[in-house]
């Protein structure tokens, strides 16, 4: 699982920039200064860990849900290599400062083309396998996989339309306000279709698989699915509240953002009711914890997110550290939890063995949970404080604090955040160790099985 | 190696509550649609004349 | 709905249905607006970037400045007081892409152009901590040693269709990356006329400082001076980018003039600090009075030769 390797690189970069936030001396310009590393951190984690894990898990899921092997298994292997080389090169270009300055779409056009090729390879393989499936009905997970593949393709291509000006530079095809609108239509839905729908696909598969409990309501799944993918695309403008974007687009974006609570909670409720039929799995099955904690954070995330869109709240917390707090609850709470649990499930199944240590997995769970909570909560406090200090006025209508005064008050929180990040990374290292040992164990068992067989023959 | 791992879809979903929608959730769902329509109407300049810059001008007068 | 077996057993129909579903929102909020005028406004005063400014903007992008600095002032009172007039849609017609950003780890830069003299930017980019001791901004001293990539910048100008002259190219050849980024920073927000949000005039200020001789006020003034003024006027008021305040104080300016200078600043040379100390409420709101008067006092004290060290006791 190459995703894990990129996960480590990305996390280390994350720690580094979190420290740069409170000590500027940790910047090593030009290649390792905050401006470049921050982009490196987000992209390596999104594309390396997030998408890498999704590629892997989807291949696994699709085979099982269509009851047939992949249409092009060799293509999948090629895809893996191309992906790893791609992430490495892409990461380096970011450190070199090749960037389109579009959040989550920073890669310059040569990398964009490579990504599109990667995605097409992936799509051909997955969609081909689905089209030629041996099971008549498509399970919910497949719906989410299909929606992900289609939407990401549209999003990525449109937002990266640009005027190339040399190998390392291009200019957005769209200018000014329009550029902003296209970017956040992309930006928000990239989150939606890389961090929500694919993870839901995993959730809907692995929750019933690992607990043996069937999903509560099929109808709820259906309504949630369609209303989620319908509403998501309207919401990008909530990133642009109080900017020069026309008011009506902002308002529409906010309204649809609030509505998103419903479909998101459809999945949350569905998950809870599924496990409600037998809560003992929570205690007895270590994986259930990950899924339920994951979906809980998803639930919190999808209440917090939409409420941030509302103008009055946005005016307080936008541009502050609240937002990284929000993002990290989604990525560290929801995405990482579900991906880890999926990997814990898949690895023993592939190697036909059991997990190396359930205790270690439980420790991983609690450490990661604490790290993530500490991280997000400190960021929320910082964010509110920052926002309030920027806004606070004296009774005569003048500002109470200068920008620097506000900034200085953040340092202790930023130091705490780095600490929380360290805790989280320790948890993730436990996870990696556990997975490695499981693979080793599986291989050893396989050899042990083969040997007696050949001996008797 | 794949054969024994294929999944039986029947086991994935409960039959007895297949068509059920939790009432609380349904209220949330419809409520948010209604609110969304109301909100869009209220805060779209073309409908009510509300606009961010107007609100701003007023706040500066204080 | 759930009985519709066909939809969920035919992958092609399902894929099409999903594609259409995601396209509706896309078309209404993203695609259609592209054809409305509201999305392509342009202020009359707005000019395309010059070659040097564009080179600077490229560097701004390359260094990821957008990760910490926004470039849009919201139509909110506190934003406007801190940064200046709120951003207008027509300011960004030549921005590909927009650089509004999403996080203010550092302050907003939409109104940075013309706020400080060029020297301020050169020194601050090289060593931000010389201005704000605890600033978390990275040092960009290396930009001083790098020449602007002339050929690249020209091809970028061509790609964007911006006009340029031979003189512009000549200027590029003689410029460092630091020159370029300062030129860019100074061009931001230039299309919008500067207007002081708070303008203090003589009638609002008393002739003589009511804080003369108040030790607390002087201490407070000293702290304020170190935080906000020392970068330009020197740690010991000996002068740097801004003039020497020792000389200024020796000139025996009346209290009121000193106060007005601090409050209103000079266009392009010194920012005004009025938003931090509005004067017409002096009598009603004593806290403010202390802050603003203290600033002035610390300078008045210098006149008498007693500098901060003696006051700290």
């Amino acid at each position: 699982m190459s995703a894990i390797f990129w996960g480590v690189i990305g996390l280390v970069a994350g720690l580094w920039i979190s420290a740069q936030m409170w000590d500027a001396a940790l910047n090593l310009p030009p290649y390792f200064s905050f401006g470049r590393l921050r982009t490196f951190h987000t992209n390596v984690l999104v594309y390396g860990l997030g998408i890498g894990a999704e590629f892997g898990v989807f291949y696994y899921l699709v085979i099982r849900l269509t009851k047939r092997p992949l249409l092009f298994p060799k293509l999948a292997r090629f895809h893996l290599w191309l992906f790893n080389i791609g992430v490495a090169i892409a990461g380096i270009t970011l450190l070199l400062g090749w960037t389109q300055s579009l959040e989550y779409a920073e890669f310059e056009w040569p990398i964009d083309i490579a990504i599109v090729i990667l995605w097409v390879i992936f799509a051909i393989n997955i969609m081909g396998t689905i089209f030629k499936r041996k099971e008549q009905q498509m399970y919910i997970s497949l719906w989410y996989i299909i929606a992900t593949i289609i939407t990401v393709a549209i999003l990525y291509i449109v937002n990266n339309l640009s005027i190339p000006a040399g190998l390392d530079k291009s200019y957005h095809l769209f200018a000014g306000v329009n550029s902003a609108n296209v970017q956040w239509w992309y930006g928000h839905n990239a989150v939606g279709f890389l961090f929500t729908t694919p993870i839901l696909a995993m959730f809907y598969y692995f929750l019933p698989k690992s607990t043996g409990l069937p999903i509560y309501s099929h109808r709820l799944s259906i309504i949630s699915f369609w209303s989620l993918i319908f509403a998501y695309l309207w919401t990008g403008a909530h990133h642009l509240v109080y900017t020069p974007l026309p008011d009506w687009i902002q308002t529409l974006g906010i309204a649809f953002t609030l509505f998103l609570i419903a479909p998101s909670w459809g999945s949350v409720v569905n998950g809870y009711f599924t496990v409600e039929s037998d809560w003992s799995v929570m205690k007895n099955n270590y994986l259930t914890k990950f899924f339920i904690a994951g979906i809980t954070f998803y639930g919190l995330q999808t209440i917090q997110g939409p409420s941030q869109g509302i103008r009055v709240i946005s005016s307080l917390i936008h541009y502050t550290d609240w937002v990284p707090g929000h993002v990290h609850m989604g990525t560290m709470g929801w995405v990482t939890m579900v991906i880890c649990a999926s990997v814990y499930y898949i690895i023993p199944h592939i190697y036909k063995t059991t997990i190396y240590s359930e205790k270690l997995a439980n420790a991983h769970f609690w450490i990661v949970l604490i790290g993530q909570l500490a991280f997000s909560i400190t960021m929320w406090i910082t964010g509110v404080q920052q926002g309030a200090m920027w806004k606070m006025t004296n009774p005569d209508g003048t500002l109470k604090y200068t920008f620097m005064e506000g900034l200085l008050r953040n340092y202790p929180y930023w130091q705490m955040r780095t600490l929380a990040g360290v805790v989280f990374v320790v948890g993730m290292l436990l996870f990696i160790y556990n997975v490695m040992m499981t693979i080793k164990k599986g291989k050893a068992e396989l050899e042990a099985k083969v040997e007696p067989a050949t001996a008797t023959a | 190696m794949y054969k024994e791992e294929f999944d039986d879809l029947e086991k994935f979903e409960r039959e007895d509550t297949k068509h059920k929608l939790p009432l609380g959730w349904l209220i949330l769902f419809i409520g948010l649609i209604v609110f969304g329509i109301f909100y869009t109407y209220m805060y779209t300049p073309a409908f009510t004349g509300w606009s961010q810059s107007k609100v701003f001008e007023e706040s500066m007068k204080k | 709905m759930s009985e519709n077996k066909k939809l969920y057993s035919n992958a092609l129909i399902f894929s099409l249905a999903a594609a259409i579903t995601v396209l509706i929102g896309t078309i209404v909020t993203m695609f259609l607006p592209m054809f409305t005028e509201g999305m392509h406004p342009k202020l009359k005063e707005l000019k395309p970037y010059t070659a040097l400014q564009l080179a600077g903007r490229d560097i701004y992008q390359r260094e990821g400045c957008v990760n910490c600095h926004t470039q849009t002032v919201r139509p909110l009172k506190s934003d406007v007081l801190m940064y200046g007039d709120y951003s207008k849609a027509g300011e960004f017609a030549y921005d590909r892409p927009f650089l509004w950003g999403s996080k203010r780890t550092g302050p907003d830069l939409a109104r940075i152009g013309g706020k400080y003299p060029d020297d301020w930017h050169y020194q601050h980019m090289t060593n931000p901590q010389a201005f704000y001791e605890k600033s978390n901004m990275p040092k960009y001293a290396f930009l001083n040693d790098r020449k602007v990539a002339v050929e690249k910048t020209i091809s970028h100008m061509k790609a964007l269709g911006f006009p340029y002259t031979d003189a512009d190219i000549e200027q590029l050849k003689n410029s460092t990356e630091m020159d370029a980024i300062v030129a860019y920073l100074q061009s931001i927000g230039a299309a919008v006329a500067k207007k002081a949000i708070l303008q203090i005039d003589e009638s609002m200020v008393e002739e003589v400082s009511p804080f003369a001789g108040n030790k607390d006020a002087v201490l407070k003034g000293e702290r304020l001076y170190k935080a906000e003024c020392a970068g330009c006027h020197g740690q010991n008021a000996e002068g740097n980018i801004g003039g020497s305040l020792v000389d200024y104080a020796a000139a025996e300016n009346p209290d009121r003039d000193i106060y007005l200078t601090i409050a209103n600043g000079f266009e392009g040379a010194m920012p005004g600090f009025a938003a931090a100390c509005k004067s017409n409420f002096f009598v009603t709101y004593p806290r403010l009075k202390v802050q603003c008067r203290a600033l002035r006092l610390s300078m008045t004290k210098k006149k008498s030769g007693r500098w901060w060290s003696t006051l700290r006791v």
Side-chain angles (χ1 to χ4, degrees), chain A residues 102-331:
Chain A
L102 295 165
E103 260 184 272
Y104 313 117
E106 281 98 342
F107 297 134
E108 271 300 347
W109 63 272
I111 308 283
D112 290 340
I113 292 172
I115 289 178
V116 171
I117 292 172
L118 269 177
W119 198 259
V120 168
I121 293 177
F122 176 60
I124 290 175
N125 221 342
I126 293 280
M127 297 295 269
T129 309
I130 293 176
F131 274 76
K132 302 248 174 201
R133 71 190 176 285
K134 298 214 168 97
E135 167 76 39
Q136 206 211 350
Q137 285 285 309
M138 290 190 295
Y139 180 62
I140 315 164
S141 296
L142 290 185
W143 311 348
Y144 281 111
I145 291 176
I146 292 175
T148 302
I149 290 181
I150 294 175
T151 316
V152 169
I154 300 173
L155 290 168
Y156 202 83
I157 292 174
V158 173
N159 191 43
N160 282 295
L161 288 177
S162 56
I163 310 161
L167 189 64
D168 59 347
K169 186 77 196 161
S170 65
Y171 294 97
H172 211 199
L173 185 63
F174 315 99
V177 183
N178 201 22
S179 158
N181 198 33
V182 176
Q183 153 61 18
W184 283 114
W185 161 81
Y186 162 85
H188 187 69
N189 291 295
V191 176
F193 287 84
L194 288 177
F195 281 163
T196 307
T197 52
I199 312 296
L200 281 172
M202 295 181 200
F203 179 77
Y204 274 115
Y205 177 86
F206 290 108
L207 183 68
K209 273 303 268 190
S210 66
T211 58
L213 301 170
I215 293 292
Y216 175 75
S217 164
H218 183 65
R219 176 170 286 176
L220 189 55
S221 310
I222 288 182
I223 299 183
S224 301
F225 172 78
W226 289 107
S227 51
L228 183 83
I229 68 167
F230 175 73
Y232 233 112
L233 278 295
W234 296 70
T235 57
H238 68 220
H239 288 261
L240 297 169
V241 173
Y242 287 120
T243 66
L245 187 73
D247 287 356
W248 70 269
I249 300 180
Q250 292 185 28
T251 296
L252 212 53
I254 297 170
F256 272 90
T257 306
L258 280 169
F259 169 72
L260 267 184
I261 296 175
S264 310
W265 272 75
S267 295
V268 176
V269 168
N270 222 347
Y272 279 151
F273 275 121
T274 300
V275 181
E276 206 192 10
S277 59
D278 184 8
W279 274 112
S280 69
V281 291
M282 207 47 189
K283 234 197 260 163
N284 304 331
N285 187 326
Y286 73 101
L287 285 181
T288 317
K289 270 202 296 291
F290 283 91
F291 288 117
I292 291 300
I295 200 80
T296 305
F297 284 122
Y298 177 60
L300 293 175
Q301 184 77 356
T302 49
I303 287 198
Q304 193 189 44
S307 51
Q308 282 166 211
I310 307 170
R311 282 194 175 85
V312 58
I313 296 181
S314 170
S315 75
L316 176 66
I317 54 99
H318 202 193
Y319 306 132
T320 70
D321 278 278
W322 176 283
V323 180
H326 170 73
V327 173
H328 283 86
M329 173 163 74
T331 49

Side-chain angles (χ1 to χ4, degrees), chain C residues 69-254:
Chain C
H69 295 283
T70 56
Q71 277 190 24
T72 176
V73 180
R74 297 176 291 179
L76 298 172
K77 194 172 178 178
S78 49
D79 260 38
V80 170
L81 282 174
M82 193 174 289
Y83 303 114
D85 201 4
Y86 69 89
S87 292
K88 310 291 185 287
E91 291 181 58
F92 306 98
Y94 295 111
D95 283 14
R96 290 171 194 267
F98 77 114
L99 293 174
W100 295 348
S102 61
K103 175 98 192 341
R104 283 181 187 159
T105 301
D108 186 271
L109 298 180
R111 296 290 171 255
I112 196 76
K115 182 177 179 184
Y116 300 104
D118 287 356
D119 277 349
W120 187 91
H121 288 291
Y122 280 101
Q123 292 190 18
H124 182 262
M125 291 288 295
T126 306
N127 184 12
Q129 284 69 30
F131 289 78
Y132 304 101
E133 196 191 338
K134 296 256 171 69
S135 167
N136 57 354
M137 177 164 153
K139 294 177 170 63
Y140 286 97
F142 67 93
L143 295 179
N144 288 313
D145 311 326
R146 290 187 178 191
K147 285 278 173 202
V148 166
V150 181
E151 292 304 318
K152 266 190 185 173
T153 308
I154 294 171
S155 74
H156 295 173
M157 290 296 279
K158 281 183 188 151
L160 289 169
F162 292 164
Y164 59 92
T165 61
D166 290 343
D168 291 339
I169 298 172
E170 219 33 59
Q171 187 192 21
L172 277 184
K173 284 180 186 158
N174 298 322
S175 297
T176 62
E177 293 195 338
M178 187 64 93
D179 297 325
I181 198 156
V182 173
Y184 168 62
L185 288 171
Q186 294 290 37
S187 77
I188 301 176
V192 174
K194 288 253 175 299
K195 67 172 182 200
I197 302 302
L198 290 170
Q199 192 71 40
I200 312 295
D201 65 47
E202 270 183 35
S203 66
M204 299 168 171
V205 190
E206 298 97 322
E207 244 183 279
V208 181
S209 166
F211 289 97
N214 182 332
K215 270 193 181 171
D216 283 348
V218 176
L219 276 176
K220 200 154 188 188
E222 180 197 335
R223 273 202 298 277
L224 275 171
Y225 178 87
K226 289 224 158 154
E228 299 290 335
C229 321
C232 280
H233 292 286
Q235 283 298 326
N236 296 307
E238 72 277 17
N240 170 20
I241 298 164
S244 156
L245 295 182
V246 180
D247 297 346
Y248 183 72
E252 307 254 341
N253 293 292

